[in-house]
């Protein structure tokens, strides 16, 4: 078997260590590793090289692990406390209006830590600091810069004055101590330039004990030749470089080691990655890394792999704020803040983590019941309103009462952070959330975090308002991550930085485009690179160099790498990572291979794992159900009839299947409310004033206004905008009175309003409904229907006989001689009658209705052939599926 | 696009030497298709060759897509320079205006690629907004820019929220001035128009702030909160003051009342005398009516009584009979007093209109400002700002002298060369910002060179506040201040001569708003082309139906569908269009670079409409012919049936009582249940549909389809509240076999689109999950919001490169695109929708702020004083209309087809192009056998490949029990408590081992107790042994890594201790340890023991 590149590297290191330390006891040596995954291959290399039955291994650890083992003189002030102190300092200084002080505090802390780590001491004098900045910015002094200098300077001193031990300082102390105590030989594995604090430490250590550094960048020239030439060499001339490579490293081609796949869009990239991983698995690879530069694609890949029952273990973490356990927390606070706005409330109650002491089935039942009530009665918020709604429903009552109790616990307006956390925890206990979270890995970690913060902050006396606290909490949830350790798999999701010195059977580099590789940090809000360089802080350059080195290390350590990226995104071009682009160019020039992965694309079409083998559906076509007797209604209203005429299938869905849209909680006044109210107003009005003629205009006007005000009052009280609707109606009042008087002058008298009726047409069919109004003149009668619609539209409705059946049906019921819509618009009120002979029209419509019903009973089909106008607002379009018929 | 470029020297092209010379500032006005991008990117190459660092270059273009394309092109060229041979490079450089090409230059050209790719900081190629974002993130702390803001891309939901908050504030204070004003507005204009007006005001807030900025230089008007309230009020008062002056309104006067005084009586009677004298009957009657109106009313009513008598409802003077002199009357004597009277009334009317306008402005500005405050407040609370805020904040920052200067230092990049693409789309505020930037750069002595390309003829983004007039202004400014050279280019690489003939023909005559037009010339003078204007589709007027039909026969809805209502001219046009497209794909050929002559395909056709209103009609016609097409329908992705299906399913999963949603899911291809299935469920009248489905699945009466639905739904229901939305959706897609089932159910031409839409939906879920605090209900609520927000709805899935479909765009969307064949639909429509209820602005492009800002309502309320603004607006709108036509026509590479419906209209696009056209043959109607796009087959699913099957890999470890966790903790405690390296600080230890506080006490006790036991002192008290260590790793011969809990060395023996904290002991393991240690401690006895947590030490033999 040929050795992998990585084995060669580790073999070299093992030989170097064994040359200094006699086996089998290597315990005196200390090896600093970039991460603990490297322990295994290095130990194995040592065993192989030493070739003994057993070896006591050197101390192999990361620098962090090592420093953590050094005891400290004092306790470390946790960052939560420092942030609170800093916030308080910022708040007191009133420098930033309207700003998110937590955000600023966070950025400042990061800066202060960096200053500590890099042992930057600011000059005592603010003016000196300013001068320093001025020089670094190469700028003239100005107010903005002065302010920046002042903020940093003042707070640096304020925070340092306390002399407290923070994490950065502690680390410094520990490193110093380690270097002081140095006695064992130290071996260090590095893949890129060390950060300043580490360099200092190693220098100090080397004064007392030998330090050997294994730098991946300098090992294995062969494996590095091309990538190194492409990315690290200072040489600018690609063609010469290519020639040189070809001559000196004829075998260095990456052809078998690295491939690039450009995808069209996210789904294709994810699919390609997933298929490649499965190909590797099929080829017997045991240890596969997915290096996720683009988390979104990674998530998609993971889901696709799970389809093929390939589980992925995840070394990277998920920000707490993106987890559903945190959603619950925030939704609870949202609900409190919005006085239990129904969406927040229902969302909260639908979380599986609440009321965990209850049977989940019951809990869900309660929520659904509540939701149905809320939708039906349109209750938008207020806990009390929900409680009223749930009268007599024990399950709901209990749930809501628990919410109330929990809310009371969090009722204060200001307290300390730990006070808030304490209250939060208490409220969560009441809600059975603690129990729910504890049963979930992420939830348990969240609870743990809340508890830790509460303890850390126990002594902090600063008081915060509820809003400030919420911001704090949100920031904490953003800043902390959860990693899911529950999956053990040969396929692992990891990050570029975590691959240092690791080798895998195969590596998939996901999202290798220019945006994600190198990834940009947004930079700190303080200073710029020039200033940071002057102060001795790391610059963006260093950040990028590290990523480049990590990429080079990855390519050096691994013999099979596929990098994928989206060549186009939503039809826009998307560039490959400049590193890989450079590499590709050089490689193509030197070895005539552009590294493109060409097989994969062709495979994708057919490489889907499918779950189902159930028969595929037939091509969609217009449905034409014929309906069994038991579903044929015995009653029909005018609007039902209208629907039947417009589209039999629509009628079928509405009245035979009896399907309805869900009620929505409406928060503002809508047109249909307006219609209802106007109906109610006119009904009341005419009950009081059947004949207008008998009254003075002013009396009528006032009466109608006052009735209107009464009817609108509840809405107006609730919603300012209802006034607009009221005004709109009020503007129609004079026109309405005019029209009514005119109608009276023609001899028509109001007779009755809101008349319900039920009229058997056949033994099996009853016509039912409610007539807005009936007028009489001598023996004659006229049915009327109010419509808040312009006259033209109503005209059109009535133009074709039998297409709008409402008036015809009413006329039939009342044996009316005339029928009309009353079109009510702003300053225009007109009656519109059908342009046909009414008795005949009524007769024809009823005859057709009974005939059609007879046909339906005989099994006639109900075709879905509404015209576009009917379909435009038809809620049944998802059932008839008109859009997909061939 | 790749090879579109400026014609090299010697051709008819312009001077590339000059245009690309890095030392000069340049303004280029270049026609469509002339290769502006080529020029711009070439200029960047030249800059780089001139040793300019990438970080010193700022290139701004109009869309992200354009920026990406530019960047891609740049990389491609630099790559070419790096790998090309000398001749290639020389050719490349010569094309870009370089003559003296020596070796050093070649060398430099070769090195650019690497230098550029790895440069830090890199080049900035961005949109204005992208660049502004960079600036704002680095804005000085004291600039009053809210720190830590994120960009809000969709504003509809927040605007709605602001509107509600505003309404609530009015409800809380119904007597306040704002509430009174609102009441007034409602009464005048109604809810809908009032809201439109106020929203338009909010939309134009940048202009508002700019207009009132001099007045209120407060720290940040955009941050709107508490103390600015008064500033806001002040701004309104100030603006009203300006308006009052301009409208010349005396608030205290009532012109109508004044008019009724006796001084006007004479004028009236002079006319009535004429009217009556020799007058006809009606004239005499009218005369007395007029006189009566005067004498019978009080002075203050006279105007309103007389006005309707002398003016029409449209406020036009009545001059027809009876107000027309008859032959018996003397014309002058009649007309003069009539006109005088009407003029005097009109003056009053005008004054009243202005008064009304002022009153409206007073009310609406006040309310608008209050609404705006709510909107700003909401964003502030959410730590967000939208594009307008961003622009304004940047403008503000850069207008504070010191801040602007500071920004020059603060950015890591220092721009010495600024390139601006599509400059005609820039708005005044953006130009302001650039100017401030230049000024600040000059102040720190690094004034950049500026390179501007654009084409005022292609300015079509007025609705986004772009102003093409800027182009001229800026040109002058740059010529004056930067010594810029001005160049023009009218040779296009894109269009065929045939298309250009039509373009020249239409614009040669300088239509609306054009003041000059240079004829375009084609670079590809041999490219065959064709322009055709189809005859207008007209509808025969249908015979009016006999209404009084003696016998009414009504349609039977079961057997006879209703006739589609508007079977009109447009439908005919659509027919014509679809037929022709079919013909075109069958019989036309096009010329493709690199391929040659080939058959025309659907994807070669770009269909343009000016507005989306009637798209449905055309789509219908295409669908009837099974022509595949992609369209950017309003409403977008979420309104497609497939997206609705998924939404219905998800809704059902969190509200299982949603019967209709369940039914829709059942009917969708996902389950493809039949109507019989639905009727079966409907017949069981008890409980919700889900319950019924469960019941019939249990009692065995369910069809296979229902059974499958039941099983899947059951499992998804149990996951719906646990899985993140994306993961849930993925389960649904996968387990439901979604892609295949939709493909099977749909007609072929819809498959690609639907497939892409389903993916796009998945992507939305993925993005939402990556956001904060996701949940399924929230996701659905967000979708509802997206759906409600018309213009902000997500795009439908864009199918990758591989689809062969005709594309339909609006002209606005087509900007920057091209196609071999362009079809301009509905080109005879000349109706333009103008905004009533909006903001009237006068912002000359070189002015730092608007000179006029007021609100207007419907036509009648506009008044005479502002007429010149409206006129200017209208003219500008007309010009833009012509620009749109220019853009539309120039999209066509080879063929342009124009169709329309209705009465012929010379001023319509159809009419104009038709007039410019001479009849000719169609050279594209030739046969070609080459087809590049095979007809898509339904994808066959082949069997047996191993990649179609699951490969079970990895396992989920069980959640550890409390006992196990306690064990682990105790283990960890012992490790750190046993010497050497004992950690004695309890809290440190706790942190180190990650032990929760409530568990620590007991564990601590237990560990301490254990270590204190007398019989164990031999192993734990350093006085008793030679050496000991904890957690000792070793590796055995098989390469397996092991860890021993504790190893204690005595003089002649070595003990291996294994802590047992619960799990069952494995003696074999211990034996292995012993064997290994024997190999290491050769010569010493190695013994091993299990140490139980109660202190029992159990030696293993
Ligand atoms: S969408 Fe149209 S065809 Fe379908 S049910 Fe509704 S009205 Fe009938």
């Amino acid at each position: 078997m040929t050795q992998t590149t990585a084995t060669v590297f580790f073999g070299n290191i093992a030989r170097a260590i064994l040359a200094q330390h006699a086996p089998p006891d290597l315990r005196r040596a200390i090896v600093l590793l970039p991460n603990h995954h490297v322990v295994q291959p290095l130990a194995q290399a040592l065993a192989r090289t030493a070739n003994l039955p057993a070896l006591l291994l050197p101390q192999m650890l990361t620098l962090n692990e090592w420093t953590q083992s050094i005891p400290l003189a004092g306790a470390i002030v946790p960052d939560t406390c420092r942030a609170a102190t800093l916030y308080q300092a910022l708040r007191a200084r009133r420098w930033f209006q309207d700003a998110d002080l937590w955000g600023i505090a966070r950025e400042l802390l990061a800066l202060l830590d960096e200053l500590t780590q890099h042992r930057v001491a600011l000059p005592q004098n603010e003016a000196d600091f300013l001068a320093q900045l001025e020089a670094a910015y190469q700028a003239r002094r100005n107010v903005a810069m002065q302010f920046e200098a002042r903020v940093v300077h003042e707070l640096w001193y304020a925070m340092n004055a306390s002399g407290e031990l923070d994490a950065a300082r502690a680390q410094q102390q520990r490193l110093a101590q380690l270097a002081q105590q140095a006695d064992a030989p130290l071996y260090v594995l590095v893949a890129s330039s060390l950060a300043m604090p580490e360099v200092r430490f190693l220098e100090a250590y080397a004064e007392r004990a030998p330090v050997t550094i294994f730098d991946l960048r300098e090992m294995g020239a062969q494996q590095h030749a091309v990538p190194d030439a492409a990315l690290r060499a200072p040489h600018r001339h690609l063609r010469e470089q290519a020639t040189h490579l070809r001559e000196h490293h004829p075998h260095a081609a990456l052809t078998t080691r690295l491939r690039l796949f450009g995808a069209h869009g996210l789904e294709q990239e994810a699919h390609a990655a997933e298929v490649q991983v499965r190909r590797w698995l099929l080829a017997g690879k045991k240890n596969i890394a997915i290096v996720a530069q683009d988390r979104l694609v990674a998530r998609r890949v993971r889901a696709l792999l799970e389809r093929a029952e390939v589980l992925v273990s995840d070394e990277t973490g998920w920000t707490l704020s993106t987890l559903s356990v945190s959603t619950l927390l925030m939704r609870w606070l949202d609900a409190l803040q919005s006085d239990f706005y129904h969406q927040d409330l229902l969302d909260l109650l639908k979380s599986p983590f609440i009321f965990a002491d209850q049977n989940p089935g019951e809990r869900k039942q309660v929520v659904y019941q509540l939701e149905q009530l809320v939708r039906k009665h349109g209750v938008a918020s207020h806990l009390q309103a929900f409680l009223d709604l749930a009268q007599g429903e024990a399950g709901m009552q209990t749930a809501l009462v628990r919410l109330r109790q929990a809310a009371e616990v969090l009722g204060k307006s200001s307290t300390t952070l730990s006070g808030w956390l304490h209250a939060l925890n208490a409220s969560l206990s009441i809600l059975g959330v603690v129990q729910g979270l504890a049963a979930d890995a992420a939830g348990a970690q969240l609870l743990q975090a809340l508890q830790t913060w509460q303890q850390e902050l126990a002594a902090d006396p600063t008081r915060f308002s509820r809003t400030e606290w919420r911001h704090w909490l949100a920031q904490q949830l953003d800043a902390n991550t959860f990693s899911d350790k529950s999956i053990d798999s040969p396929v692992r999701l990891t990050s570029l930085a975590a691959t240092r010195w690791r080798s895998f059977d195969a590596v998939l580099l996901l999202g290798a485009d220019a945006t994600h590789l190198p990834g940009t940090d947004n930079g700190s809000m303080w200073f710029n690179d020039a200033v940071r360089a002057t102060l001795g802080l790391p610059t963006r350059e260093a950040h990028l160099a590290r990523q480049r080195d990590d990429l080079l290390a990855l390519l050096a350590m691994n013999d099979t790498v596929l990098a994928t990226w989206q060549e186009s995104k939503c039809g826009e071009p998307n560039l490959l990572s400049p590193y890989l682009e450079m590499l590709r160019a050089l490689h193509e020039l030197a070895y005539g291979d552009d590294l493109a992965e060409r097989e994969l694309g062709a495979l994708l079409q057919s490489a889907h794992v499918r779950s189902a083998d159930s028969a595929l559906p037939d091509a969609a076509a217009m449905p034409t159900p014929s309906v069994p007797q038991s579903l044929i209604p015995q009653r029909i209203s005018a609007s039902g009839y209208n629907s039947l005429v417009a589209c039999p299938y629509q009628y079928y869905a509405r009245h035979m299947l009896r399907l309805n849209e869900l009620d929505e909680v409406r928060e503002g006044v809508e047109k249909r409310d307006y219609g209802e109210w106007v109906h109610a107003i006119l009904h009341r009005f005419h009950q009081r004033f059947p004949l207008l003629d008998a009254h003075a205009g002013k009396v009528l006007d006032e009466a109608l206004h006052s009735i209107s005000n009464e009817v609108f009052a509840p809405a107006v009280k609730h919603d300012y905008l209802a006034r607009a609707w009221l005004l709109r109606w009020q503007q129609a009042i004079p026109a309405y009175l005019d029209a009514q008087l005119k109608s009276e002058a023609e001899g028509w008298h109001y007779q009755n309003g809101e008349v319900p009726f039920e009229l058997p047409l056949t033994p099996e069919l009853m016509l039912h409904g409610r007539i807005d109004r009936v007028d009489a003149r001598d023996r004659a009668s006229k049915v009327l229907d109010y419509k808040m619609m312009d006259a033209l539209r109503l005209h059109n409705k009535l133009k074709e006989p039998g297409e709008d059946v409402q008036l015809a049906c009413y006329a039939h019921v009342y044996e009316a001689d005339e029928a009309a819509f009353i079109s009510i618009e702003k300053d225009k009120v007109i009656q519109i009658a059908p342009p046909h002979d009414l008795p005949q029209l009524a007769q024809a419509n009823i005859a057709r209705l009974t005939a059609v019903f007879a046909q339906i009973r005989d099994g006639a089909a109900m075709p879905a052939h509404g015209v576009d106008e009917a379909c435009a607002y038809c809620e049944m379009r998802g059932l008839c599926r008109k859009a997909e018929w061939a | 696009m790749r090879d579109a470029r400026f014609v090299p020297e010697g051709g008819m092209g312009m001077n590339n030497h000059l245009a690309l010379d890095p030392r000069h500032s340049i303004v280029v006005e270049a026609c469509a298709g002339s290769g502006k991008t080529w020029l711009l990117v070439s200029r960047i190459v030249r800059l780089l060759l001139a040793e300019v660092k990438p970080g010193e270059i700022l290139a701004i273009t109009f869309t992200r897509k354009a920026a990406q394309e530019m960047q891609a092109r740049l990389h491609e060229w630099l790559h070419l320079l790096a790998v090309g041979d000398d001749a290639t490079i020389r050719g490349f450089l010569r094309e870009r205006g370089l003559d003296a090409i020596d070796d050093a230059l070649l060398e430099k050209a070769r090195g650019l690629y690497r230098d550029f790719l790895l440069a830090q900081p890199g080049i900035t190629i961005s949109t204005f907004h992208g660049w502004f974002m960079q600036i704002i993130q680095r804005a000085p702390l004291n600039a009053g820019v809210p720190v830590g803001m994120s960009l809000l891309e969709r504003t509809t939901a927040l605007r709605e929220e602001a509107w509600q908050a505003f309404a609530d504030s009015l409800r809380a204070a119904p007597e306040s001035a704002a509430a009174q004003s609102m009441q007034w507005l409602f009464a005048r204009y109604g809810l809908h128009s009032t809201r439109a007006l106020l929203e338009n005001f909010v939309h134009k807030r940048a202009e508002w702030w700019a207009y009132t900025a001099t007045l209120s230089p407060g720290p940040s008007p955009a941050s709107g909160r508490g103390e600015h309230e008064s500033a806001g009020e002040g701004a309104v008062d100030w603006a009203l003051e300006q308006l009052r002056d301009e409208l010349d309104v005396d608030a205290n006067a009532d012109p109508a009342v004044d008019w009724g005084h006796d001084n006007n009586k004479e004028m009236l009677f002079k006319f009535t005398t004429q009217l009556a004298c020799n007058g006809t009957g009606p004239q005499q009657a009218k005369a007395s009516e007029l006189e009566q109106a005067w004498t019978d009313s009080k002075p203050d009513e006279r105007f309103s009584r007389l006005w309707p008598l002398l003016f029409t409802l449209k406020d036009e003077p009545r001059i027809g009979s009876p107000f027309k002199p008859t032959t018996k009357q003397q014309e002058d004597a009649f007309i003069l007093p009539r006109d005088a009277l009407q003029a005097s009334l009109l003056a009053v009317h005008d004054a009243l209109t202005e008064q009304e306008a002022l009153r409206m402005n007073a009310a609406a500005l006040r309310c608008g400002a209050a609404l705006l405050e709510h909107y700003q407040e909401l964003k502030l609370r959410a730590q967000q700002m939208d594009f307008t805020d961003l622009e304004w904040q940047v403008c503000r920052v850069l207008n504070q002298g010191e801040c602007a200067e500071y920004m020059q230092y603060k950015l890591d990049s220092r721009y010495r060369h600024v390139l601006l693409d599509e400059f005609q789309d820039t708005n005044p505020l953006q130009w302001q910002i650039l100017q401030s930037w230049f000024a600040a750069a000059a102040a720190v002595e690094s004034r950049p060179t500026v390179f501007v390309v654009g084409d005022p003829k292609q300015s079509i983004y007025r609705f986004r506040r772009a102003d093409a007039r800027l182009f001229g202004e800026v040109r002058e400014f740059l010529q004056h201040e930067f010594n810029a050279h001005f160049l023009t280019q009218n040779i296009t690489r894109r269009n065929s001569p045939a298309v250009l003939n039509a373009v020249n023909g239409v614009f040669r005559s300088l239509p609306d708003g054009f003041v000059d037009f240079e004829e375009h010339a084609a670079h590809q003078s041999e490219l065959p082309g064709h322009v055709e204007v189809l005859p207008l589709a007209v509808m025969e007027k249908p015979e009016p139906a006999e209404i009084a039909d003696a016998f009414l026969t009504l349609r039977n809805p079961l057997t006879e569908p209703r006739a589609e209502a508007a079977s009109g001219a447009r439908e005919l046009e659509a027919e014509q269009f679809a037929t022709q497209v079919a013909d075109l794909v069958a019989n036309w050929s096009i010329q493709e670079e690199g391929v040659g002559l080939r058959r025309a395909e659907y994807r070669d056709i770009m269909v343009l409409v000016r507005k989306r209103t009637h798209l449905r009609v055309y789509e219908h016609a295409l669908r009837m012919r099974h022509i595949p097409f992609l369209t950017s329908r309003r409403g977008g992705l979420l309104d497609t049936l497939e997206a609705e299906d998924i939404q219905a399913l998800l809704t059902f999963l969190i509200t299982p009582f949603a019967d209709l949603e369940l039914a829709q899911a059942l009917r969708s291809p996902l389950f493809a249940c039949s109507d019989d299935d639905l009727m079966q469920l409907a017949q069981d009248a008890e409980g919700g549909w889900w319950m019924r489905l469960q019941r019939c699945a249990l009692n065995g009466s369910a069809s296979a389809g229902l059974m499958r639905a039941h099983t899947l739904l059951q499992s998804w229901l149990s996951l719906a509240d646990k899985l993140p939305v994306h993961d849930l959706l993925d389960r649904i897609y996968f387990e439901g076999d979604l892609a295949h089932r939709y493909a099977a159910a749909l007609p072929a031409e819809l498959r690609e689109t639907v497939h892409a839409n389903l993916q796009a939906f998945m992507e939305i879920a993925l993005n939402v999950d990556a956001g904060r605090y996701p949940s399924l209900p929230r996701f659905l609520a967000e979708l509802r919001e997206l759906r409600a927000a018309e213009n902000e709805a997500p795009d439908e899935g864009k199918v990758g490169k591989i689809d062969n479909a005709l594309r339909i765009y609006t002209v606005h969307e087509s900007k920057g695109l091209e196609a071999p064949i362009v079809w301009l639909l509905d080109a005879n429509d000349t109706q333009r929708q103008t905004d009533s209820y909006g903001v009237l602005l006068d912002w000359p492009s070189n002015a730092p702020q608007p000179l006029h800002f007021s609100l207007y309502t419907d036509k009648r309320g506009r008044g005479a004083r502002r007429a010149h603004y409206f006129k200017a607006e209208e003219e500008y709108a007309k010009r833009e209309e012509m620009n749109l036509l220019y853009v539309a026509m120039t999209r066509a590479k080879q063929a342009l087809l124009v169709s329309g419906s209705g009465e012929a209209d010379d001023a319509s696009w159809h009419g104009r192009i038709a007039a410019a056209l001479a009849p000719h043959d169609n050279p594209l109607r030739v046969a070609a056998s080459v087809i590049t796009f095979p007809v898509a087959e339904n994808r066959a699913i082949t069997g047996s490949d191993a990649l179609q099957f699951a490969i079970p890999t990895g396992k989920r470890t069980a959640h550890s029990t409390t006992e196990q966790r306690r064990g682990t903790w105790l283990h960890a405690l012992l490790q750190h408590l046993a010497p050497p390296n004992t950690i004695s600080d309890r809290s440190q230890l706790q942190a180190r081992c990650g032990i929760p506080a409530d568990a620590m006490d007991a564990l601590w006790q237990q560990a301490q107790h254990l270590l204190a036991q007398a019989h164990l002192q031999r192993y734990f008290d350093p006085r008793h042994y030679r050496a000991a260590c904890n957690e000792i790793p070793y590796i055995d011969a098989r390469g397996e890594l092991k860890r021993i809990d504790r190893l204690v060395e005595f003089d002649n023996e070595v003990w291996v201790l294994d802590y047992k904290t619960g799990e069952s002991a494995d003696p074999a393991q211990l034996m292995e340890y012993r064997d290994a240690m024997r190999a290491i401690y050769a010569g010493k006895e190695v013994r091993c023991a299990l140490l139980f947590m109660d202190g029992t030490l159990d030696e293993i033999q």
Side-chain angles (χ1 to χ4, degrees), chain A residues 194-205:
Chain A
L194 292 166
M196 214 47 214
E198 294 165 23
V199 174
R200 288 216 182 87
F201 162 67
L202 291 181
E203 278 169 358
Y205 196 99

Side-chain angles (χ1 to χ4, degrees), chain A residues 622-623 643 646-651 653-654 863-883 885:
Chain A
M622 184 210 278
S643 161
C647 172
Y649 192 88
Q650 186 191 64
Y651 176 79
R654 284 183 187 166
H865 58 206
V867 291
D868 286 352
E869 191 195 331
C871 301
Y873 295 100
C874 175
E875 77 283 14
M876 300 305 169
R877 63 184 174 274
L879 295 195
C880 77
R881 320 222 35 97
K882 183 177 182 180
W885 307 336

